[in-house]
Amino acid sequence: MNMHSRIGNNITISDIRIDKGPAYQELSALIDDEKVWFRFPADVPVRARPEAFIPFCLFDAMLRKVPIVIHPDFPVSAELLTGFEEIQDIYTCWNSDLNRTQLVATAGIQDEKSADVYCCFSGGIDSSYSYAKHRDKITHLLVLEGFDQLKDKSGWKKCVADRKAFADQEHKKLVDVTHNAIEFLGKRKLHWVPVLGSILACLGVTLNAETFIVPSSNTYADLFPCGSHPLLEVNWSTENTKIIHDGCEASRTRKTEFVAQFQDLLDQLQVCCYSQCDNCGNCSKCVRTSIILDVLGKNSASLPDYQSHGELKQLQPYDNGTLSYMDDFAVFMHKHGRHDIKKQLLKMKRNYIITSNMTMIAKTILGNRVRNLKQKFFPRPWEAYRTGLVARKSILDD
């Protein structure tokens, strides 16, 4: 069913169930009569609770100005119901396209608390840093399939095998989760990025983790509207599960320096932009990680070595977020006496600033005419979706 073609006064979550098989167990629910599911290992305690499905409804409800209604047979954490109000405050502040909505649900008693401490663990720098910080406390590692829209299922199998080998070595339990989230949201012309952190947090609630760690991507100095954000995840916490957005105190280079103390973590790194199972060595994430390791005199068994200054072009900034990474890199290179690399980084930064400011001047002078023509003939992928984390167009642009 295409929700966009349906007229309704609410969005319903019902028929929450767990179906068990020999290889996995499936937690599913009907959202307006369409099935949404997560599949977990068969030996992990999973609860048939509604929290994991709320993020799938959130943006659609806020765009359509309709409530989310959860069948009363499936109670929701009272603490989460309170946090839901704060979540809406954040999203409506970021995006004026969104409207406040209601979560109509019965508040229910939580199950007995567990002592499990989960860390989301893709094998990248952010998750490796959070794991290294909390290594002694962590009992479970969670890896979620395909939010890089990985098409090769054999690649996912290798990703799970690699993460499991590391987890076994560390005497931790790996929990690998597959889903139909991207397909479900795509049918509604909604992107997964705005709700990624919320989905992760609610999986922590579903698994009844005592603590659930979501590694950060940005520092406190560089925060901007993002689907995984220290303001958001904490509000999905419940009486049983504390959600932590971890690592905002450290820049990317600082995180890499910290991880570089542990060769076992270096050897399992998975940082590539294009794969969950291999490192190409040529994309921006691979290049920036290999450069730092080269400067530190370190190497990773899973990552090709840095080769030449020609690879630096992969680090060319394209927005303010990547510009902050450039500043962090330049400071790191100065600190370690690599003024040759610092010089090239600052040149790329200068070129980006000049180009972006010229573009801004042109937009200011010419108004929306050029932008509208560009969007007509060269549409960006985000324009296929109904909304994003920030409003698409302000009245001030008219």
Side-chain angles (χ1 to χ4, degrees):
M1 178 186 296
N2 186 332
M3 186 182 295
H4 208 45
S5 64
R6 187 184 68 81
I7 298 176
N9 294 323
N10 56 50
I11 298 173
T12 61
I13 300 176
S14 62
D15 195 24
I16 302 166
R17 58 191 296 173
I18 294 176
D19 296 307
K20 295 192 175 184
Y24 64 83
Q25 55 187 318
E26 181 181 276
L27 169 68
S28 66
L30 295 181
I31 299 180
D32 281 344
D33 298 324
E34 184 168 352
K35 184 178 178 180
V36 181
W37 54 263
F38 294 96
R39 289 174 184 162
F40 302 85
D43 59 349
V44 175
V46 177
R47 304 177 301 164
R49 294 191 60 87
E51 286 88 354
F53 303 100
I54 298 172
F56 293 92
C57 309
L58 184 56
F59 270 45
D60 200 49
M62 296 178 81
L63 285 167
R64 291 167 53 198
K65 304 181 185 180
V66 297
I68 300 168
V69 179
I70 299 176
H71 194 283
D73 286 349
F74 305 101
V76 175
S77 155
E79 186 173 330
L80 188 146
L81 288 173
T82 301
F84 186 77
E85 299 304 313
E86 182 71 17
I87 289 165
Q88 291 189 83
D89 287 341
I90 296 165
Y91 277 131
T92 54
C93 181
W94 286 348
N95 188 342
S96 57
D97 294 340
L98 301 174
N99 307 277
R100 295 188 66 83
T101 188
Q102 289 182 293
L103 180 56
V104 181
T106 302
I109 298 173
Q110 298 287 288
D111 301 332
E112 185 177 345
K113 288 186 177 182
S114 79
D116 297 336
V117 177
Y118 276 74
C119 181
C120 298
F121 191 75
S122 66
I125 291 296
D126 295 326
S127 60
S128 296
Y129 172 80
S130 289
Y131 177 74
K133 275 179 62 181
H134 305 286
R135 197 172 203 159
D136 293 340
K137 298 178 181 179
I138 290 169
T139 60
H140 292 66
L141 299 176
L142 181 137
V143 58
L144 188 64
E145 181 193 22
F147 276 98
D148 58 357
Q149 302 197 44
L150 185 68
K151 302 296 183 183
D152 182 5
K153 294 299 180 183
S154 64
W156 169 244
K157 290 179 181 178
K158 183 178 184 300
C159 170
V160 172
D162 290 346
R163 301 289 82 75
K164 188 176 188 308
F166 178 77
D168 289 347
Q169 172 187 310
E170 295 287 294
H171 306 291
K172 313 296 184 185
K173 172 67 177 176
L174 182 75
V175 178
D176 56 292
V177 183
T178 58
H179 54 85
N180 68 339
I182 294 173
E183 294 83 356
F184 180 86
L185 292 168
K187 288 179 183 178
R188 287 145 183 79
K189 295 187 177 181
L190 295 168
H191 202 278
W192 54 265
V193 166
V195 291
L196 174 58
S198 299
I199 291 172
L200 289 170
C202 289
L203 285 177
V205 173
T206 298
L207 291 162
N208 199 29
E210 188 276 328
T211 303
F212 191 82
I213 299 168
V214 181
S216 69
S217 295
N218 302 297
T219 70
Y220 289 120
D222 302 313
L223 290 176
F224 55 88
C226 185
S228 181
H229 194 284
L231 293 177
L232 283 174
E233 278 94 340
V234 64
N235 286 295
W236 293 104
S237 296
T238 69
E239 297 84 351
N240 281 14
T241 302
K242 180 180 181 181
I243 310 296
I244 296 176
H245 186 98
D246 181 74
C248 287
E249 77 283 354
S251 69
R252 188 58 51 83
T253 57
R254 182 179 159 192
K255 286 181 178 180
T256 309
E257 283 186 281
F258 186 76
V259 171
Q261 300 174 79
F262 310 100
Q263 192 62 44
D264 57 344
L265 283 171
L266 287 182
D267 288 340
Q268 64 80 49
L269 281 178
Q270 179 56 47
V271 298
C272 191
C273 293
Y274 305 118
S275 174
Q276 280 189 304
C277 63
D278 291 300
N279 292 305
C280 70
N282 299 313
C283 70
S284 60
K285 289 185 178 180
C286 285
V287 170
R288 74 189 182 198
T289 306
S290 63
I291 290 175
I292 297 174
L293 295 183
D294 183 70
V295 171
L296 294 173
K298 300 285 186 175
N299 60 68
S300 165
S302 63
L303 180 67
D305 292 338
Y306 173 62
Q307 297 296 326
S308 70
H309 286 184
E311 297 181 10
L312 285 173
K313 64 183 180 182
Q314 296 293 338
L315 305 183
Q316 179 68 47
Y318 53 85
D319 58 19
N320 289 337
T322 51
L323 185 64
S324 68
Y325 289 149
M326 183 71 69
D327 288 338
D328 177 39
F329 261 61
V331 171
F332 174 83
M333 295 304 168
H334 179 83
K335 171 184 171 183
H336 289 274
R338 292 301 302 268
H339 301 292
D340 53 335
I341 297 178
K342 182 186 80 170
K343 182 178 179 181
Q344 292 196 50
L345 294 173
L346 293 178
K347 180 179 179 181
M348 286 191 287
K349 174 185 176 181
R350 183 168 59 251
N351 290 341
Y352 167 78
I353 291 173
I354 291 171
T355 301
S356 61
N357 282 322
M358 289 178 65
T359 301
M360 183 62 68
I361 291 170
K363 287 180 178 179
T364 302
I365 295 173
L366 299 173
N368 286 324
R369 287 170 293 174
V370 173
R371 184 180 70 175
N372 292 340
L373 284 172
K374 182 179 178 182
Q375 290 178 357
K376 180 178 179 180
F377 293 104
F378 304 100
R380 297 171 299 173
W382 272 98
E383 291 164 12
Y385 298 101
R386 290 154 62 198
T387 191
L389 283 160
V390 295
R392 294 189 181 281
K393 182 180 177 182
S394 167
I395 191 173
L396 302 176
D397 292 331
D398 292 334

